[in-house]
Amino acid sequence: MGDQQILILGAPGAGKGTQSKRLAEEYDLEHVTTGDALRENRDMETEHGTPREYMEAGELVPDELVNEIVEEALSSADGYVLDGYPRNESQVEYLQRITDLDVVLHLEVSEETLVDRLAGRRVDPETGDNYHVEFDMPDDEEVRERLIQREDDQEETVRERLRVFEENTEPVIDHYEDHEGYVRIDGEQSPDEVWEEIKEAVDERTE
Ligand code: AP5
Ligand code: MG
């Protein structure tokens, strides 16, 4: 297993999941993603209610719960790519206490593109892989037929997720701009072009 410790930042729909999957494969890293972990446990009863209630409204799930998920996942991984966390300043402080980062990738994408990507996203319920009706459909017909839309990709929820991102997570990105491993990536390009830029940035910073 690789030992690179990578954080990937970006708005909802920026391509964090798509590129994290490639990073995890290429460098043999653990893909630690709070969104997927919460979706797998969406009906778990906690003292704050279930994750589903927050996610379907496009709101952040309480810090306590996500901090615990991340701490546990990072403690069992050498190298990792962290996707979907931290999303507010309090999560930033928590993360700083439990790990160091070698590379901080910031996928930059315009709001108009984000909305198109989220509206057209389809997910394979068996593998969790993300596809897109226009930009990226699987060749295998069996996979194509079983694709579903994520519950929080409805138009109204998308708008709320983007608002929550602007309010809570943009300050997080500002914070990491001063990190020595920070690199801005043009996320508007095709998935392969974005990947080339990411790979170059990671190789440069971790050799
Ligand atoms: P989460 O699952 O993390 O959602 P998100 O941050 O909104 O991001 P997405 O997964 O929607 O987008 P992505 O950047 O991964 O894009 P993707 O690669 O799929 O979180 C969901 C919810 O969980 C939150 O709203 C919150 O409630 C809760 N939560 C999670 N973490 C939390 C935390 N830390 N604290 C509190 N609550 C938390 O790509 C999108 C689409 O575009 C796909 O269809 C893809 O095929 C396509 N695409 C990707 N790249 C390209 C490209 N270059 N060109 C064309 N199409 C592309
Ligand atoms: Mg994702």
Side-chain angles (χ1 to χ4, degrees):
M1 185 185 233
D3 62 0
Q4 294 90 342
Q5 308 196 143
I6 302 173
L7 172 62
I8 189 159
L9 295 167
K16 303 183 296 295
T18 303
Q19 299 296 334
S20 292
K21 182 170 177 261
R22 296 190 184 200
L23 279 163
E25 278 167 12
E26 174 81 16
Y27 297 99
D28 194 16
L29 305 171
E30 194 77 44
H31 179 196
V32 177
T33 159
T34 45
D36 289 358
L38 289 166
R39 268 184 290 283
E40 276 162 30
N41 296 290
R42 49 160 76 90
D43 292 316
M44 188 175 70
E45 291 290 347
T46 75
E47 58 177 302
H48 308 285
T50 63
R52 182 193 288 274
E53 294 163 30
Y54 298 89
M55 297 174 83
E56 287 185 2
E59 306 300 334
L60 295 185
V61 172
D63 292 339
E64 225 173 282
L65 199 64
V66 279
N67 288 345
E68 199 180 314
I69 291 174
V70 170
E71 180 159 14
E72 193 178 314
L74 295 192
S75 71
S76 61
D78 238 352
Y80 58 80
V81 48
L82 180 56
D83 155 14
Y85 181 99
R87 271 174 136 93
N88 60 28
E89 312 235 27
S90 128
Q91 294 180 12
V92 170
E93 282 167 31
Y94 194 85
L95 184 65
Q96 280 172 339
R97 287 205 296 275
I98 59 174
T99 194
D100 290 318
L101 298 165
D102 300 313
V103 188
V104 178
L105 301 166
H106 171 199
L107 293 180
E108 222 176 14
V109 175
S110 71
E111 177 154 348
E112 200 187 321
T113 304
L114 296 172
V115 173
D116 287 348
R117 287 196 188 164
L118 293 171
R121 172 165 53 194
R122 297 294 181 271
V123 182
D124 180 349
E126 287 188 19
T127 62
D129 289 348
N130 294 312
Y131 295 98
H132 193 282
V133 290
E134 230 177 289
F135 311 127
D136 180 21
M137 279 300 264
D139 296 328
D140 186 337
E141 196 182 325
E142 207 180 308
V143 179
R144 272 204 307 275
E145 279 172 3
R146 68 176 183 232
L147 296 181
I148 53 164
Q149 190 167 23
R150 235 169 74 174
E151 280 154 1
D152 60 349
D153 280 345
Q154 307 296 331
E155 200 186 320
E156 203 178 314
T157 317
V158 164
R159 268 203 301 272
E160 179 60 10
R161 285 162 62 204
L162 291 172
R163 193 197 62 76
V164 168
F165 169 78
E166 218 173 280
E167 184 177 311
N168 298 276
T169 314
E170 271 179 359
V172 168
I173 295 182
D174 294 343
H175 166 92
Y176 281 108
E177 280 178 2
D178 297 330
H179 191 285
E180 59 179 5
Y182 175 86
V183 47
R184 192 190 310 261
I185 306 281
D186 174 7
E188 295 271 345
Q189 310 171 87
S190 73
D192 287 345
E193 287 165 333
V194 174
W195 171 238
E196 282 310 311
E197 240 186 272
I198 287 182
K199 203 171 162 323
E200 210 172 291
V202 170
D203 288 340
E204 230 170 66
R205 281 165 182 77
T206 56
E207 259 162 9

